[in-house]
Amino acid sequence: MTSISMTVNGKPASGEVEGRTLLVQFLREDLRLTGTHVGCDTSQCGACVVHVNGEAVKACTMFAADADGADVRTIEGMANADGSLGTIQQAFQDHHGLQCGFCTPGMVMSAAALLKDNPKPTEAEIREYLEGNICRCTGYHNIIKAIQAASGQLTAVAAE
Amino acid sequence: MSVHQSNKHDSAPLHVTGQAHYVDDIPTPEGTLHLAFGTSTCPHGHITQMDLDPVRAAPGVVAVLTDRDIPGRNDVSPSPTPEPLLTSDLVEYHGQPIFIVVATSHLAARRAARAARIEYAPLPAILSLDDAIANPTRFDAGGKERVYTKGKPEIAFDKARHVIKGSFDLGGQEHFYLEGQAALCIPGEGAEVTILSSTQHPTEIQHKVAEALDIPFHAVTTITRRMGGGFGGKESQGNHLAIACALASRVTGQACKMRYDRDDDMAITGKRHPFRLQYKAGFDEDGRLLALDMTHYVDCGWSQDLSLPVADRAMLHTDNAYHLSDVRITSHRLKTNTCSHTAFRGFGGPQGMVGIERVMEHIAQTLGRDPLEIRQVNYYKPGAGGQTTPYHQPVTDNIIHEITEALLASSDYAARRAEIEAWNRTSPVIKRGIGLTPVKFGISFTLTHLNQAGALVHIYTDGSIRLNHGGTEMGQGLFTKVAAVAASVFGQPIDAVRITATDTAKVPNTSATAASSGSDLNGMATYNACMTIRDRLVHFASDFFVCDPKEVVFRDGIVDIAGAEFPFADLVKEAYMARISLSATGFYATPEIAWNRDAGRGTPFYYFAYGAAVSEVALDTLTGENRILRADILHDVGNSLNPAIDIGQIEGGYVQGAGWLTTEELVWHPSGALWTHAPSTYKIPACSDRPKVFNVDLFDGENPAQTVYRSKAVGEPPLMLPISVVSALQHAVAQAGGDPLFDLPATPERLLNAVERGHGRGW
């Protein structure tokens, strides 16, 4: 067992983990942050995307020990300080960019990573960036619209 | 009114913040144990030796359970034909559960499961439809094929100027609900158990658990708040996990949880049924079908599961939107040694529809015409045209002509087809194609007794409303729609209604949320429950204020009583003080349906949902790679309960169906193991696979049938819109001089082969 400590959503977090413990296990089982989902177990589907030191990573293929000392952000840390929804979260809600919701946390985290590096992505850039996030429900149309809206590039009102 | 508005999905604020609980997210009691199945590595054979001592000795293992540990019935089947949860003798597919490991962690259970030493005496395994057709073991009809006939096809064939024959294979489909199968059992007092399950059918979970434990149904409660996708894959396939958890809880006294790892999920659970379709079609010079003989060879997998109603629905959608005067449909429900194929969005309807659409393409190819002309000439007459389906149900609500005409205009079909063919003449490698296909889908469970639903509605004295019904939420927005129905009855904003988890202790004897029927059935049951309470309130208010009941109106968040406005909560409080019941159940049974399955005759469907799509593709004729460039869809949802949710269902259904027909290919290893057991090898549509231009509109109309607020079902019908993608690919292949009558899914390999075949170079 190894002692690890990291910052998760701005708060210190620590625990004892095995070398093989995955970051997603540590977040879900030790810290009870269950918004980060396990969809495929093999880093294909992207339901487990979190940010480690500002980079989007798939938490099902990163060891918890490798995140020792890191600054980790999960879906639970994406709302504004006053508890209101962040811009991307609000856009996913307003543009119906979700159905079953299981992929949504990973989608929001990937979208946030994209917009950090590329605040005004083209539609093609959004599509390409989301290649690693599978949604089985929506057909992606409203997810793209939500990200366009969150980047201030969609003027049409919600719920068309 | 809250209905007909694009209310946001009720769980959206929870989804975007990670607070929505799926089964694996629910806080568990101290000491909760975790389960995994040990599974067969032989597709067909007898177990000759089974040494589970190494499993018991593995780290973290608390118990190992076999079929001998089941006190009641060893049966997970949703049909009358039993399907064992665990086997100790005959194994019938690679991946079949043999024993249950109960351990202190998910990982410990999975690791231990691999330590078993099991030996088999193999039997010949049927691993393909070729094998199954050569050595048929059929489910249903005393081992015989099922045949439905209308008219006199043999005589009609003699009169037909043209007769064609064809045969093609159509693959299955993995559901790939993002949340895998999962269940949690919390033991209660005495024999009581509570099962939290990711299931579309809480009542069946209740029944199967009770039968396995040999306890009454009343001792089992199933609760389902939401699923992370279902698509039919959680209609019966969650039974195994729920029963396993209940058994393990019985043995250990602890809460027990099971979630399939994705590989296990894909290997163990059933998929959409693969089909081979053979046809003989007779037609005239205009392409009008005069006679059709259609045969379905259905790969059911190793057990019956839901295969009979799936295969029935395939037969019932052989017509799609086309009038077939003289037709024979034959269905062979064949046993194979693979996972047991099961419900999947469309439930056989898509396979049936792909069959007749192939016939349309083949006729067009024979006559050298645009397939669209052949389709239109064969459409049922508009409205109530006096024609009947192959199962003798009159078609009375046909709007496919209006939909097609409107879509042809909005998609600019004719000009684009001409432009594409001109462009193709200048493009030696990339060929484009375009196609329009219609959808007419029958709404109702074909098993008539399932067309019933219940609801339970409470109003509390602050005016807030709590709603429960028998439907389950899998992302389709059912809860949001039904809440809007309740809110509308009381003239309240939708936020006044609290939606609660589906719970067999609140609404009993429910049907699966399936057959697209969720909002039709549960919406109407909820409407009826709400109307019972509203009638009481109206009666009370008109007595109290001495006015006509018609003068009590619930609207805009208030109650208007003879011109005076009152807060809803005030009326509710007064009614409570007057000892008026503020709680009611509601019930609904779909009217006017009757179906004689053996005769193939009756009115199995309350109404039909219609739609059509135009798809355009580009095909690289040197590699078979392709893209959907544009899709235009016009779809009929009656008077929509929630336009945004319905459009979402249409978009998602289209992409999911396009995946089935193009990229999603299931491959089994000669050993019987599923080779494509993860999304790394099984290609689910990704963001970039979505059509580049995607125009979706709702047809403006209302359901002539008396459904809830005149809406129509939307879950399954859109899945068949992307048959237009196949039509477009066939156009592109034909434009490249290839053979457009290729097998499906239309993978790049198959498309390349189709092109090469046309030039005498296929394989």
Side-chain angles (χ1 to χ4, degrees):
Chain A
M1 301 291 272
T2 314
S3 295
I4 58 169
S5 59
M6 60 188 81
T7 304
V8 179
N9 299 329
K11 294 180 197 151
S14 57
E16 298 282 314
V17 297
E18 291 182 88
R20 67 184 176 192
T21 300
L22 300 167
L23 177 58
V24 70
Q25 280 178 278
F26 181 67
L27 293 171
R28 289 179 54 84
E29 295 168 19
D30 291 41
L31 305 186
R32 295 284 317 143
L33 293 170
T34 54
T36 302
H37 296 145
V38 177
C40 71
D41 300 273
T42 51
S43 73
Q44 310 289 324
C45 81
C48 64
V49 170
V50 299
H51 296 174
V52 176
N53 295 328
E55 298 285 324
V57 302
K58 290 181 172 173
C60 79
T61 15
M62 180 174 185
F63 292 122
D66 283 340
D68 188 28
D71 181 21
V72 176
R73 185 170 294 270
T74 72
I75 188 67
E76 289 89 348
M78 294 301 285
N80 297 323
D82 65 358
S84 62
L85 296 182
T87 307
I88 297 170
Q89 293 172 314
Q90 189 70 48
F92 270 76
Q93 173 173 307
D94 291 348
H95 293 270
H96 302 273
L98 54 86
Q99 286 181 27
C100 86
F102 200 82
C103 76
T104 308
M107 288 284 180
V108 169
M109 299 309 288
S110 286
L114 167 65
L115 297 186
K116 182 169 76 74
D117 294 339
N118 183 359
K120 302 279 178 196
T122 64
E123 192 191 321
E125 287 170 335
I126 297 172
R127 285 163 174 266
E128 189 182 345
Y129 195 87
L130 291 183
E131 278 284 292
N133 289 78
I134 292 174
C135 171
R136 191 55 153 164
C137 297
T138 65
Y140 303 100
H141 192 61
N142 289 344
I143 290 173
I144 293 174
K145 271 203 288 189
I147 296 172
Q148 288 175 314
S151 61
Q153 300 186 93
L154 199 68
T155 50
V157 288
E160 64 185 48
Chain B
M1 288 220 295
S2 294
V3 291
H4 313 312
Q5 305 298 314
S6 290
N7 300 302
K8 71 172 186 288
H9 193 286
D10 73 281
S11 291
L14 303 177
H15 289 325
V16 299
T17 54
Q19 296 177 79
H21 279 179
Y22 304 83
V23 169
D24 198 33
D25 304 333
I26 296 167
T28 50
E30 184 76 25
T32 295
L33 298 169
H34 301 262
L35 274 53
F37 283 126
T39 59
S40 161
T41 55
C42 167
H44 193 200
H46 290 284
I47 295 174
T48 53
Q49 280 207 316
M50 181 154 65
D51 178 7
L52 300 180
D53 286 342
V55 183
R56 292 188 185 92
V61 172
V62 174
V64 179
L65 309 178
T66 66
D67 59 356
R68 285 181 287 277
D69 297 302
I70 303 173
R73 292 185 66 192
N74 178 17
D75 177 25
V76 295
S77 177
S79 69
T81 307
E83 174 184 332
L85 167 69
L86 301 173
T87 180
S88 56
D89 178 12
L90 183 65
V91 297
E92 298 193 82
Y93 80 105
H94 193 298
Q96 182 171 355
I98 294 174
F99 62 93
I100 302 166
V101 188
V102 187
T104 51
S105 76
H106 175 71
L107 188 61
R110 292 194 69 231
R111 288 168 68 89
R114 280 155 177 69
R117 285 194 284 261
I118 300 174
E119 289 175 25
Y120 307 89
L123 294 166
I126 305 242
L127 296 173
S128 69
L129 268 171
D130 283 331
D131 291 348
I133 292 166
N135 299 291
T137 301
R138 296 185 189 85
F139 297 106
D140 195 19
K144 298 267 196 304
E145 63 272 27
R146 184 163 286 274
V147 183
Y148 292 157
T149 307
K150 190 182 95 168
K152 296 188 167 58
E154 290 314 326
I155 294 170
F157 273 119
D158 288 342
K159 293 181 186 159
R161 172 129 186 210
H162 301 276
V163 175
I164 54 171
K165 290 182 179 178
S167 175
F168 69 103
D169 284 0
L170 173 58
Q173 186 177 24
E174 160 64 34
H175 302 82
F176 209 85
Y177 25 66
L178 255 280
E179 178 213 20
Q181 305 277 350
L184 168 65
C185 174
I186 299 174
E189 294 180 332
E192 285 180 17
V193 292
T194 299
I195 307 285
L196 306 173
S197 170
S198 183
T199 179
Q200 293 172 239
H201 201 347
T203 288
E204 188 168 275
I205 296 277
Q206 176 196 23
H207 292 181
K208 289 289 160 187
V209 165
E211 288 166 2
L213 296 184
D214 196 21
I215 57 178
F217 293 171
H218 67 45
V220 182
T221 304
T222 312
I223 299 173
T224 302
R225 175 57 186 89
R226 65 172 62 77
M227 285 160 271
F231 315 117
K234 293 174 180 172
E235 185 167 344
S236 65
Q237 302 294 297
N239 295 354
H240 310 60
L241 301 88
I243 298 170
C245 288
L247 282 174
S249 280
R250 165 72 68 92
V251 169
T252 64
Q254 300 293 321
C256 288
K257 181 157 84 170
M258 186 173 204
R259 81 161 177 91
Y260 285 161
D261 174 271
R262 181 60 65 174
D263 278 11
D264 291 345
D265 199 313
M266 291 181 77
I268 294 171
T269 65
K271 329 234 168 277
R272 186 187 296 285
H273 289 68
F275 271 52
R276 175 170 297 167
L277 299 102
Q278 282 179 356
Y279 55 86
K280 177 180 166 191
F283 51 95
D284 66 15
E285 209 52 43
D286 294 328
R288 186 174 289 104
L289 262 173
L290 304 174
L292 178 70
D293 192 348
M294 176 66 77
T295 302
H296 295 165
Y297 295 98
V298 185
D299 179 347
C300 299
W302 75 280
S303 76
Q304 187 170 307
D305 187 70
L306 297 163
S307 293
L308 304 192
V310 166
D312 287 354
R313 187 171 275 269
M315 296 174 82
L316 300 185
H317 286 77
T318 294
D319 58 336
N320 192 11
Y322 311 112
H323 179 237
L324 307 176
S325 56
D326 295 86
V327 54
R328 178 168 54 237
I329 307 160
T330 306
S331 175
H332 301 261
R333 294 87 193 265
L334 298 166
K335 180 169 180 167
T336 58
N337 293 112
T338 63
C339 59
S340 184
H341 298 301
T342 190
F344 195 144
R345 199 175 194 173
F347 205 72
Q351 291 95 321
M353 232 179 251
V354 168
I356 192 69
E357 294 304 338
R358 171 59 56 97
V359 172
M360 293 294 148
E361 295 282 335
H362 198 161
I363 294 172
Q365 188 196 21
T366 306
L367 297 177
R369 304 267 291 276
D370 179 349
L372 174 64
E373 298 169 24
I374 310 301
R375 291 186 163 100
Q376 287 180 296
V377 94
N378 282 293
Y379 276 169
Y380 283 106
K381 288 179 187 168
Q387 294 171 323
T388 59
T389 64
Y391 43 94
H392 306 272
Q393 173 166 347
V395 176
T396 60
D397 58 4
N398 184 20
I399 53 173
I400 198 61
H401 296 266
E402 296 95 306
I403 287 177
T404 302
E405 290 304 325
L407 183 64
L408 287 173
S410 67
S411 68
D412 199 18
Y413 174 89
R416 283 168 61 204
R417 189 172 180 96
E419 183 274 325
I420 285 167
E421 295 192 348
W423 185 89
N424 284 340
R425 287 191 283 276
T426 69
S427 175
V429 173
I430 307 294
K431 299 290 184 189
R432 286 156 61 207
I434 190 168
L436 181 151
T437 56
V439 170
K440 166 183 138 288
F441 193 80
I443 302 299
S444 293
F445 285 101
T446 56
L447 204 51
T448 301
H449 79 263
L450 297 178
N451 295 288
Q452 58 173 309
L456 175 65
V457 175
H458 306 318
I459 303 181
Y460 297 98
T461 50
D462 64 351
S464 67
I465 301 164
R466 195 168 167 109
L467 165 64
N468 196 274
H469 57 78
T472 55
E473 176 65 39
M474 60 196 98
Q476 82 279 43
L478 171 65
F479 284 15
T480 310
K481 286 184 172 182
V482 178
V485 169
S488 293
V489 171
F490 295 111
Q492 291 291 294
I494 192 166
D495 293 340
V497 180
R498 165 71 56 181
I499 301 159
T500 57
T502 315
D503 185 335
T504 56
K506 291 181 181 166
V507 174
N509 311 325
T510 57
S511 298
T513 306
S516 305
S517 66
S519 42
D520 278 7
L521 296 177
N522 297 288
M524 205 56 128
T526 297
Y527 180 84
N528 290 339
C530 293
M531 286 304 290
T532 298
I533 302 175
R534 195 176 90 174
D535 286 347
R536 291 179 196 148
L537 291 172
V538 167
H539 184 71
F540 164 71
S542 61
D543 276 0
F544 194 85
F545 288 92
V546 195
C547 66
D548 190 284
K550 289 198 184 74
E551 293 180 281
V552 183
V553 179
F554 295 79
R555 60 167 174 83
D556 305 324
I558 56 100
V559 190
D560 181 330
I561 304 174
E565 295 187 356
F566 298 87
F568 178 68
D570 287 5
L571 176 65
V572 166
K573 262 187 224 117
E574 289 299 332
Y576 166 76
M577 294 304 292
R579 298 188 292 174
I580 306 291
S581 169
L582 297 169
S583 174
T585 59
F587 184 78
Y588 176 69
T590 310
E592 297 173 25
I593 47 175
W595 171 234
N596 183 334
R597 180 172 173 265
D598 286 330
R601 186 178 272 271
T603 309
F605 303 123
Y606 188 33
Y607 63 90
F608 297 100
Y610 297 86
V614 172
S615 295
E616 180 184 339
V617 300
L619 172 70
D620 184 329
T621 57
L622 296 181
T623 65
E625 288 172 278
N626 56 88
R627 293 278 183 278
I628 304 174
L629 300 177
R630 174 173 166 181
D632 295 79
I633 294 170
L634 184 57
H635 195 80
D636 156 42
V637 294
N639 193 353
S640 174
L641 285 175
N642 184 317
I645 282 175
D646 285 348
I647 287 172
Q649 287 293 299
I650 294 164
E651 291 168 352
Y654 177 90
V655 170
Q656 194 174 67
W660 169 49
L661 293 167
T662 59
T663 66
E664 297 184 35
E665 185 178 31
L666 294 162
V667 181
W668 276 270
H669 187 269
S671 70
L674 178 66
W675 235 347
T676 49
H677 54 78
S680 51
T681 48
Y682 182 78
K683 174 69 177 106
I684 291 152
C687 199
S688 53
D689 297 314
R690 188 204 121 217
K692 288 198 176 4
V693 178
F694 203 2
N695 300 317
V696 178
D697 275 317
L698 301 179
F699 183 73
D700 188 15
E702 63 172 36
N703 194 346
Q706 295 194 15
T707 50
V708 62
Y709 291 100
R710 299 288 183 154
S711 62
K712 282 195 180 184
V714 70
E716 292 165 298
L719 186 115
M720 287 144 273
L721 294 167
I723 299 173
S724 58
V725 175
V726 178
S727 178
L729 286 167
Q730 287 170 318
H731 185 212
V733 167
Q735 290 274 292
D739 171 9
L741 302 179
F742 43 81
D743 288 342
L744 298 169
T747 58
E749 293 88 338
R750 288 217 174 91
L751 291 168
L752 181 61
N753 192 15
V755 171
E756 293 291 296
R757 208 160 50 225
H759 298 284
R761 297 189 297 261
W763 58 86

